[in-house]
């Protein structure tokens, strides 16, 4: 059960390791996304669908170093990345961190330590706000428990789906969220489904919440990537 509202991606080709770590994460309250190859990760736009990536170094069609270098030069360059690899030399650890890794865990991982490191990295990147019941982005206020959003104290009438969409975007303000990520996490649908429904709902939400810059925030469409709720 995704109690925390956070999604951890796991780029890992070892099925047994992926199953074990995935179980640990889910029992700790995270949702998980498994990618078995670099190609699959890129096809599914993994860097836009997850809140943190656990990254193996040695993969069947590339290396973890190539993946993280691609992430750090992308539109989602701030994605938290933790290496989870059997490479344990000091040179490897230094290289992994120098390439942009936020932390480095050597296999076989210890359950409590791995979950603690994931939690610390997420917290360092502001994930406390993502798990919070209330989010204040003045003049907007989101109350997750009551499922309400207000602007300058005025409650806005939203459908259940519109609230879920707004909540996902507000919790990730400043970051690009792809249409595929929205389909998977808000609609619980495969990314193979048409994304027109996402665009329609985003357009409606933008109008209802006046997210075109009227209140200092804009829900912007990012060409070939998705959407970003940004302060202007």
């Amino acid at each position: 059960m995704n109690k925390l509202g956070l999604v951890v991606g796991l780029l890992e080709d070892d099925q047994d390791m992926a199953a074990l770590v995935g179980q640990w994460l889910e029992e700790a309250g995270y949702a998980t996304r498994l990618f078995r190859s670099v190609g699959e990760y890129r096809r599914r736009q993994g860097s836009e669908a997850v809140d943190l990536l656990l990254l193996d170094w040695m993969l069947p069609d590339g290396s973890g170093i190539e993946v993280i270098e691609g992430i750090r030069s992308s539109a989602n360059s701030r994605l938290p990345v933790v290496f989870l690899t059997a490479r344990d030399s000091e040179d490897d650890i230094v290289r992994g961190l120098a390439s942009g890794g936020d932390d480095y865990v050597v296999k076989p991982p210890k359950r409590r330590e791995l979950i603690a490191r994931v939690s610390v990295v997420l917290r360092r990147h502001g994930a406390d706000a993502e798990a919070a019941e209330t989010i204040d982005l003045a003049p907007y206020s989101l109350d997750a428990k009551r499922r309400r959003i207000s602007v300058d104290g005025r409650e806005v009438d939203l459908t259940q789906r519109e609230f879920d969409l707004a909540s996902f975007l507000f919790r990730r303000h400043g970051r690009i969220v792809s249409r595929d990520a929205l389909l998977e996490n808000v609609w619980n649908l495969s990314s193979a489904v048409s994304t027109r429904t996402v665009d329609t709902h985003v357009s409606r939400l933008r109008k209802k919440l006046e997210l075109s810059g009227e209140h200092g925030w804009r829900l912007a469409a990012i060409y070939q990537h998705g959407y970003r709720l940004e302060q202007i």
Side-chain angles (χ1 to χ4, degrees):
M1 181 179 179
N2 186 8
K3 298 177 293 185
L4 303 178
L6 298 168
V7 182
V8 176
L10 180 58
L11 181 42
E12 171 64 69
D13 63 316
D14 184 317
Q15 293 186 11
D16 292 336
M17 178 61 65
L20 179 63
V21 172
Q23 179 181 341
W24 290 353
L25 290 166
E26 290 172 2
E27 289 177 353
Y30 300 101
T32 59
R33 294 285 184 273
L34 175 61
F35 311 97
R36 299 189 185 280
S37 68
V38 175
E40 181 183 359
Y41 176 79
R42 289 173 176 164
R43 283 195 304 274
R44 291 171 56 190
Q45 296 180 308
S47 60
E48 297 167 359
V50 302
D51 298 297
L52 177 145
L53 179 67
L54 287 174
L55 176 62
D56 193 6
W57 186 312
M58 297 173 287
L59 296 158
D61 58 344
S63 75
I65 295 295
E66 294 171 349
V67 172
I68 196 169
E69 287 177 348
I71 290 171
R72 293 298 176 243
S73 62
S74 73
N76 268 351
S77 61
R78 297 179 60 194
L79 175 72
V81 177
V82 176
F83 275 96
L84 178 58
T85 174
R87 298 183 66 141
D88 60 356
S89 74
E90 182 179 5
D91 286 345
D92 287 336
I93 295 172
V94 169
R95 186 181 176 193
L97 295 174
S99 68
D102 293 279
D103 204 346
Y104 196 104
V105 178
V106 175
K107 293 178 181 177
K110 299 179 179 67
R111 176 175 181 159
R112 292 172 59 193
E113 178 186 350
L114 178 64
I115 297 303
R117 288 180 181 274
V118 166
S119 177
V120 167
V121 171
L122 283 167
R123 187 164 62 246
R124 191 187 307 151
H125 283 259
D128 282 353
E130 294 178 2
E133 288 191 354
T134 60
I135 300 172
D136 291 311
L137 301 177
Y140 296 94
S141 180
L142 183 148
D143 185 332
K145 189 173 183 179
R146 300 171 65 196
R147 296 182 64 81
R148 295 178 179 176
I149 295 180
S150 60
V151 183
D152 282 325
R154 173 181 56 86
E155 186 177 333
V156 180
D157 184 26
L158 299 176
T159 66
Q160 293 294 308
R161 184 75 73 191
E162 288 167 349
F163 178 84
D164 290 340
L165 175 60
S167 179
F168 194 84
L169 292 166
F170 270 64
R171 292 176 188 278
R172 291 156 182 82
H173 65 274
R175 293 160 49 185
I176 293 176
V177 178
S178 72
R179 292 172 177 83
D180 288 351
L182 292 172
L183 279 171
E184 290 183 12
N185 293 284
V186 177
W187 275 264
N188 294 315
L189 295 173
S190 164
S191 59
V193 177
S194 169
T195 59
R196 289 190 62 183
T197 186
V198 173
D199 296 333
T200 299
H201 276 76
V202 167
S203 178
R204 190 179 302 140
L205 186 67
R206 185 187 287 119
K207 291 178 182 177
K208 284 190 174 184
L209 293 180
E210 300 176 329
L211 286 168
S212 296
E214 296 93 329
H215 300 291
W217 291 89
R218 175 175 60 199
L219 182 50
I222 310 299
Y223 181 63
Q224 292 186 337
H225 285 283
Y227 295 97
R228 178 170 58 206
L229 179 61
E230 56 191 21
Q231 193 168 23
I232 58 176

